[in-house]
């Protein structure tokens, strides 16, 4: 990785940051900037305080809850200037990994403890980490990067949560909890401005309670101009976003025992992907000849004997190779329209408290996502490649710049009933769950630019680049607007239903010993069809039997048990041992012409943990170690297939036989050495190993090859760490404080694709904030002024590196002969540049 000249300074600061808390390099992470959370007693106020969580479906003290988890409070999110979930991608919680799918901000890949699916944005593919907003499961990863509303806390539950949270929580769960209406007049208004045209405006208003009804209104606006400019006039640049959202919440309390919370939200996220740079040119020195003579130019999973299709084409005039620094201006301008995600939905949560023995809860939700994708971030940096000759004329430009267009429409309904209570020495939770989802999508990849050769005396001396018409047919898109008029690469539709019943009992055998057992039965039903594949309408022209197409019609049943033994060594020291299981549903890949199906995967987890407070409640150390064994791991093989002048993104999902091993240690140390100063250090070690998979391929001539291929778990660093310093200095005799926050986040290099050993760069990112807080302005109002910065040292690293364009193509008609006709080089994406700004917040 290439670093700027201030690397030594940044590394030294990180070392001081971590050393200042005298922390061993371990972490069970509880990101305890949440020290500002509500305290349970006056004694707690003198120290770090009690953090209340709802991971067990009841309010409990985090330190007494036998689950490894991290909590980020409102204050912690603000200190790090977390405006959307992607802002946590820098590693604030070391075990939580967040990345874009491809370069696109509109769909996020979210993982915990090495459960990270590469391509979970297909309609028949599930996530490995459950995302919950106010107790409601989010079925798709689309729309997750919308602006966050008024958040009370974010809980990161680590390890399988298959009993209480259910399907698709193998790695854990990310639970976002919104602030509820207070029933008292008040709120806050915020506005800010930053570099790259950044501007924000938020309003959060509580209205006085009337006839038992309390109302809260939230409005959010977030904007940032592109950080990489597009030279083509009138077209959007890259890493742009414009987010808007509204949320209305109503709390009705007709009696002292009944509380009903209703919320409706609507949001729009306009964005463009990160710019995809060409990082190198033919780095594996691919040439025509035998495969044995050039082992570096080998596509994993193949057993080619010869390579043909060369020589590798020269770079187009003006094309820039840059693997060292983030480009502020693209080399060649291309059409780029903003992608748009629209999310909307309602949630109704009813609680009827009949005493400590019994509380009945009902969570009803309906949600929808409509997404249109416009991704031309690769430009001339990825196939189709141009062989610039005199045949590339103004009348017939040679096409390039693959424009990835897609539409997705998702609707979901869920209903959950819970019974929670305590009978004698037994705490219990029981529930029923129903989930119904309908998803449809389509995609097209037309070429959007053309190269026209500049010729002098029959010799090509340069090129000019012109727009070429695309998607000009009368064919309507199957789902939305992005693919209108295009030849449709693929279109699919999926219907999913899930039914579950679960229960969990905790026997408080003594004041110190607590034994928990639980289980969840799940039945998943999934049906899916391909309407289009490779520009063929399957509804009108069913594929030949040799294609092997088969609609998806599958049912899976699972029982996921768990057991925990927890022991309170003292009031301040708690230990536990836990066995838990999880399951991720199967599906089918709409990126294959046969709609290739794959089976579920299952995980078993064994975990031990320690949670401790000491030094008169001024220090907290939490530690967890775990072993996870995953069976039938779903792994992806991604490639671009070339058919004539067309190219298709082919992604095959298979189940790796055997047991995938995931091992890890997590820890967190938080210290408050003096009043107002809080130091935190977190660390996560994650070891992963997928057994080699035997890949067998047969071509049209009957030739076959078999070769073992290694697979990797993506975006999961072996070592990751985070540290922070917070200091609040009272000013004068009132509530005004001068507050300082500084954090550093490190991640080791890791793979970005399942089938490639190639890694992205390691990263070391620092963020900071200075605030003059709670300045009294009279009449119960206060003002807070802040200066914030993200990526303070403007660290530049490649977070996603794709080597597929620097290796031979995947086999199509001959499994022994590989083509290097479309070899160019690795392409990838740099992280966001340094951003900074000022904010003002008025609380009333």
């Amino acid at each position: 990785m290439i670093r700027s000249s201030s690397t030594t300074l940044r590394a030294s600061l990180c070392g001081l940051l971590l050393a200042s808390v005298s922390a061993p390099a371990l972490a069970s992470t509880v990101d305890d900037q949440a020290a500002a959370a509500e305290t349970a007693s006056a004694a707690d106020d003198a120290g770090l305080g009690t953090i209340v969580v709802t991971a067990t479906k009841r309010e409990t003290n985090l330190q007494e809850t036998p689950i490894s988890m991290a909590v980020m409070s409102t204050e912690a999110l603000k200190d790090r200037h977390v405006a959307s979930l992607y802002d946590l991608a820098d590693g604030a919680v070391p075990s939580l990994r967040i990345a874009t799918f491809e370069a696109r901000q509109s769909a996020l890949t979210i993982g915990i403890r090495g459960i990270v699916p590469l391509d979970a944005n297909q309609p028949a593919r599930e996530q490995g980490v459950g995302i919950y907003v106010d107790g409601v499961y989010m079925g798709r990863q689309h729309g997750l990067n919308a602006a966050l509303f008024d958040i009370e806390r974010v809980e990161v539950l680590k390890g399988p949560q298959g009993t209480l949270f259910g399907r698709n929580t193998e790695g854990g769960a990310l639970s976002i909890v919104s602030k509820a209406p207070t029933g008292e007049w008040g709120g806050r208004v915020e506005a800010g401005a930053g570099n790259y045209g950044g501007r924000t405006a938020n309003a959060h208003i509580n209205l006085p309670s009337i006839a038992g009804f309390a109302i809260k209104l939230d409005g959010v606006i977030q904007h940032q101009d592109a950080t990489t400019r597009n030279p083509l006039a009138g077209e959007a640049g890259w890493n742009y976003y414009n987010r808007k959202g509204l949320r209305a919440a109503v709390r009705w309390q007709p009696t002292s025992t009944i509380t009903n919370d209703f919320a409706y939200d609507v949001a729009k996220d306009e964005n463009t992907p990160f710019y995809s740079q060409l990082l190198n040119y033919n780095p594996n020195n691919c040439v025509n000849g035998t495969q044995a003579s050039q082992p570096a130019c080998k596509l994993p999973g193949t057993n080619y004997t010869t390579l043909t299709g060369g020589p590798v084409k020269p770079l187009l005039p003006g094309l820039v190779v840059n693997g060292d620094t983030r480009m502020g201006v693209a080399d060649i301008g291309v059409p780029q329209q903003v992608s748009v995600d629209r999310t909307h939905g309602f949630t109704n949560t009813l609680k009827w408290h009949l005493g400590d023995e019994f509380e009945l809860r009902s969570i009803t939700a309906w949600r929808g996502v409509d997404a249109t994708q416009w991704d031309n971030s690769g430009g001339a940096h990825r196939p189709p490649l141009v062989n610039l000759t005199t045949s590339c004329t103004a009348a017939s430009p040679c096409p390039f710049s693959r424009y990835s267009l897609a539409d997705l429409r998702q609707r979901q309904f869920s209903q959950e009933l819970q019974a929670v209570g305590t009978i004698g020495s037994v705490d219990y939770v029981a529930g029923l769950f129903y989930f119904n989802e309908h998803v449809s999508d389509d995609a097209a990849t037309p070429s959007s630019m053309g190269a026209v050769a500049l010729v002098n005396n029959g010799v090509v001396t340069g090129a000019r680049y012109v727009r070429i018409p695309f998607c000009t047919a009368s064919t309507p898109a199957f789902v939305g607007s992005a693919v209108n008029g295009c030849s449709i690469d693929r279109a699919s539709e999926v219907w999913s239903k899930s039914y579950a019943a679960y229960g969990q009992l905790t026997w408080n055998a003594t004041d110190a010993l607590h034994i928990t057992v639980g289980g969840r039965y799940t039945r998943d039903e999934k049906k899916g069809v391909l309407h289009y594949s490779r520009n063929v309408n399957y509804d009108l022209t069913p594929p030949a039997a040799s294609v092997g197409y088969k609609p998806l019609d599958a049912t899976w049943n699972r029982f996921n048990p768990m057991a925990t033994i927890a022991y309170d060594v003292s009031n301040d020291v708690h230990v536990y041992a836990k066995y838990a299981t999880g399951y991720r549903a199967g599906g089918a890949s709409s990126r294959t012409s046969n709609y290739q199906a794959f089976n579920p995967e299952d995980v078993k987890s064994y975990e031990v943990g320690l949670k401790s407070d000491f030094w008169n409640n001024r220090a907290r150390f939490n530690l967890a170690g775990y072993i996870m064994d995953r069976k039938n791991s779903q792994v992806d093989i991604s490639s671009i297939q070339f058919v004539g002048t067309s190219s298709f993104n082919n992604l095959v999902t298979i189940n790796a036989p055997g047991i995938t091993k995931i091992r890890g240690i997590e820890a967190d140390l938080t210290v408050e050495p003096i009043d107002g100063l809080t130091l935190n250090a977190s660390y996560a070690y994650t070891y992963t190993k997928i057994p080699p998979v035997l890949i067998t391929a047969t071509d049209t001539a009957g030739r076959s090859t078999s070769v073992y291929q290694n697979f990797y778990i993506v975006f999961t660093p072996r070592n990751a760490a985070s540290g922070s310093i917070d200091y609040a200095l009272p000013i004068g005799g009132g509530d005004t404080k001068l507050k300082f926050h500084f954090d550093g986040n490190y991640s080791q290099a890791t793979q970005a694709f399942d089938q490639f050993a190639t890694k992205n760069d390691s990263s070391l990112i620092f963020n900071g904030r200075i605030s003059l807080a709670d300045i009294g302005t009279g009449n119960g109002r206060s003002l807070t002024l802040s200066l914030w910065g993200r990526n303070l040292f403007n660290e530049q690293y490649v977070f996603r590196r794709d080597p597929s364009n620097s290796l031979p193509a995947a086999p199509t008609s001959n499994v022994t002969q590989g083509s290097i006709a479309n070899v160019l080089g690795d392409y990838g994406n740099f992280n966001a540049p340094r951003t900074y700004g000022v904010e003002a917040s008025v609380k009333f």
Side-chain angles (χ1 to χ4, degrees), residues 373-412:
Q373 170 192 298
W374 305 76
D375 180 1
N376 211 355
S377 59
H381 303 160
R382 61 182 304 185
L385 304 184
V386 173
N387 185 18
L388 190 63
T389 66
T390 55
S391 63
C392 300
T393 64
S396 181
C398 293
F400 69 97
S401 192
R402 180 178 179 268
Y403 207 169
S404 182
L405 313 176
D407 302 291
L408 179 135
R409 181 183 187 276
Q410 186 257 10
R411 299 292 184 268
Q412 69 172 66

Side-chain angles (χ1 to χ4, degrees), residues 102-144:
E102 294 284 335
R104 302 156 196 160
Q105 299 186 56
S106 55
L108 298 182
T109 296
I110 298 178
I112 298 175
R113 284 189 175 178
I115 307 293
V116 193
L118 171 64
D119 185 12
N121 73 333
Q122 296 187 64
R125 185 79 184 272
E126 304 294 342
Q127 304 171 87
V129 170
I131 311 299
Y132 294 81
V133 178
D134 297 325
V136 176
Y137 174 68
M138 302 286 109
R140 294 293 106 195
Q141 65 185 46
H142 295 80
L144 291 181

Side-chain angles (χ1 to χ4, degrees), residues 506-770:
T506 298
W507 176 38
N508 301 297
T510 69
D511 289 341
L513 179 63
H514 317 278
I515 301 173
T516 301
V517 294
R520 186 184 190 105
Y521 170 78
T522 302
R523 177 181 175 86
D524 281 334
E525 300 173 356
K526 185 173 291 187
K527 295 182 179 181
V529 296
L530 269 182
H531 293 288
Y532 282 84
S533 182
R534 310 297 191 267
N535 304 329
V536 176
N537 186 331
Y538 279 18
D539 297 334
L540 299 178
T541 309
S546 59
V547 174
Y549 167 68
K550 184 179 179 181
L552 177 66
D553 188 354
T555 300
W556 302 286
N557 298 282
R558 287 294 188 278
F559 178 73
N560 290 115
M562 65 82 63
T564 303
I565 298 176
Y567 186 73
D568 303 326
V569 179
S570 68
N571 290 335
D572 297 323
V573 179
H574 315 275
V575 295
Y576 68 89
K578 180 179 180 181
Y579 167 76
T581 60
Y583 140 79
R584 178 155 54 131
S589 175
S590 59
R591 300 183 191 272
T592 57
S593 57
N594 65 342
Y595 205 36
Q596 183 163 317
F598 50 88
N599 291 319
E601 61 181 26
D602 298 90
V603 67
K604 295 180 180 179
S605 173
Y606 310 86
E607 178 178 328
V608 293
L610 163 73
K611 296 189 174 186
S612 62
D613 291 290
F614 56 98
W615 195 17
N616 197 27
N617 206 36
R618 286 188 176 274
R620 177 171 295 157
F621 178 64
N622 294 344
L623 174 68
Y626 63 89
I627 294 174
M628 291 171 58
D629 291 330
R630 188 171 65 175
K631 184 179 180 182
N632 294 327
S633 295
Q634 297 170 10
V635 296
D636 296 328
I637 305 174
S638 178
S639 65
I640 301 294
Q641 290 189 341
F642 302 94
V643 180
T645 59
S646 299
S647 61
F648 306 97
N649 187 349
N650 190 67
L651 187 141
V652 180
T653 301
I654 62 174
N655 294 96
I659 301 297
T660 294
K661 296 180 179 181
I662 305 175
R663 311 288 188 257
I665 297 174
E666 302 160 338
D668 179 272
L669 177 65
T670 304
V671 181
E672 189 181 82
I674 60 174
D675 289 346
L677 176 63
T678 303
L679 310 174
N680 172 268
S682 300
Y683 171 80
Y685 168 84
T686 311
Y687 166 85
T688 63
K689 178 64 176 178
I690 301 175
V693 179
L694 182 64
I695 302 296
T696 300
T698 303
D699 61 26
T700 54
R703 294 177 291 252
S704 64
T705 59
S706 296
V707 59
Y708 279 97
Q709 180 175 350
N710 289 321
F711 287 88
Y712 307 90
I713 294 179
V714 298
F715 301 116
T716 302
R718 182 68 59 91
N719 295 282
S722 175
S724 63
I725 300 174
D726 290 274
Y727 183 59
L729 177 67
I731 302 292
D735 296 328
T736 304
K737 294 181 179 180
L738 184 61
K739 301 175 69 175
F740 300 89
H741 169 85
F742 183 68
D743 67 76
N745 312 277
Y746 168 76
S747 292
Q748 194 172 356
T750 182
Q751 283 82 8
F753 289 86
D754 291 26
Q755 81 265 36
F756 296 119
T758 303
K759 294 183 177 182
N760 58 20
D761 294 339
S762 62
S763 63
L764 180 59
I765 298 295
F766 293 94
N767 309 305
R769 187 181 190 92
I770 301 174

Side-chain angles (χ1 to χ4, degrees), residues 130-194:
I131 311 299
Y132 294 81
V133 178
D134 297 325
V136 176
Y137 174 68
M138 302 286 109
R140 294 293 106 195
Q141 65 185 46
H142 295 80
L144 291 181
N145 202 35
L148 294 174
F149 291 107
D150 201 13
I151 303 302
E152 180 176 314
R153 66 182 181 275
V154 175
E155 299 179 5
V156 182
L157 284 65
K158 292 173 280 187
Q161 306 296 321
T163 300
L164 292 184
F165 287 86
R167 66 200 284 268
N168 308 329
T169 58
E170 289 180 302
L174 183 68
S175 178
I176 300 171
V177 181
S178 304
K179 289 185 178 179
T182 64
E184 298 179 357
W185 168 252
R188 70 183 191 279
V189 177
E190 301 171 336

